Amino acid sequence: MTNSQAQPKPQKFSLAQVNKEIAELEKGIQPTTIKEVNKVLVYIATTMRCVLPPRAALIPYYDILKDYPADLLQVAAREYIKRSTYQKFPLVGDLISKIEDDLNERKRWLRNRKQNKNYHNQPTIKYYQPQNNKNTKSFPSRIEKLFK
């Protein structure tokens, strides 16, 4: 194999890069503000040409939808508008059903990335040198004799 055909080297584990990825993933699951929820609800009402419910009826919308990320709310609103055949304002459950899968996927990615970070932070286990490995118990004396 020549140098021009050499395969790329695998990337080294970078704790700083992983921390940056984790921070980005955590931003993706941050709850939104009531202002953003209001923008989404007004967007739906104007696009669907339906009347925005009175303020008292919107309070549960704000209370429930503020726990979800703004970008997922916007995607759910667009999906609802695309799929809706009637000019009616959506129920909270209609929007949440479109958000839940994506939000769970983001949480799963974040959890996996954190587990990978913890895995890479652990010391390498070297069974042939148990005295240097603080996280493992030393071998029984019969096995240690084999490595001396």
Side-chain angles (χ1 to χ4, degrees):
M1 192 184 300
T2 63
N3 286 341
S4 62
Q5 295 175 343
Q7 294 182 356
K9 293 180 180 177
Q11 289 183 338
K12 282 185 140 183
F13 175 77
S14 169
L15 189 59
Q17 179 66 25
V18 172
N19 286 335
K20 184 178 175 183
E21 291 174 9
I22 288 173
E24 289 175 14
L25 289 170
E26 285 176 340
K27 284 180 191 175
I29 62 170
Q30 292 298 318
T32 189
T33 61
I34 291 178
K35 206 179 242 187
E36 284 294 322
V37 173
N38 192 44
K39 283 182 189 178
V40 169
L41 297 178
V42 169
Y43 171 73
I44 293 171
T46 55
T47 307
M48 298 294 293
R49 295 185 185 137
C50 59
V51 179
L52 195 65
R55 178 178 277 180
L58 289 177
I59 291 173
Y61 283 85
Y62 296 133
D63 286 341
I64 295 169
L65 295 177
K66 71 180 181 184
D67 296 333
Y68 296 95
D71 62 324
L72 291 181
L73 276 175
Q74 293 165 356
V75 169
R78 274 186 243 124
E79 286 297 315
Y80 178 80
I81 291 167
K82 284 183 200 176
R83 309 262 185 261
S84 182
T85 54
Y86 300 106
Q87 292 180 340
K88 79 173 194 115
F89 200 73
L91 299 174
V92 177
D94 296 335
L95 297 173
I96 290 176
S97 66
K98 297 178 184 338
I99 295 172
E100 282 296 322
D101 290 337
D102 291 335
L103 183 61
N104 288 336
E105 183 72 18
R106 288 182 182 186
K107 287 179 180 179
R108 189 171 31 254
W109 272 96
L110 178 62
R111 185 178 59 246
N112 289 344
R113 203 61 189 138
K114 284 182 178 181
Q115 287 174 348
N116 287 345
K117 174 186 169 186
N118 293 337
Y119 172 76
H120 286 289
N121 283 337
Q122 293 176 356
T124 304
I125 297 174
K126 298 180 180 178
Y127 291 111
Y128 55 90
Q129 294 177 342
Q131 68 275 10
N132 295 334
N133 197 346
K134 296 177 182 173
N135 289 343
T136 61
K137 296 177 182 176
S138 63
F139 282 136
S141 59
R142 286 184 304 166
I143 297 174
E144 285 182 16
K145 290 177 185 177
L146 294 174
F147 291 107
K148 287 185 181 181

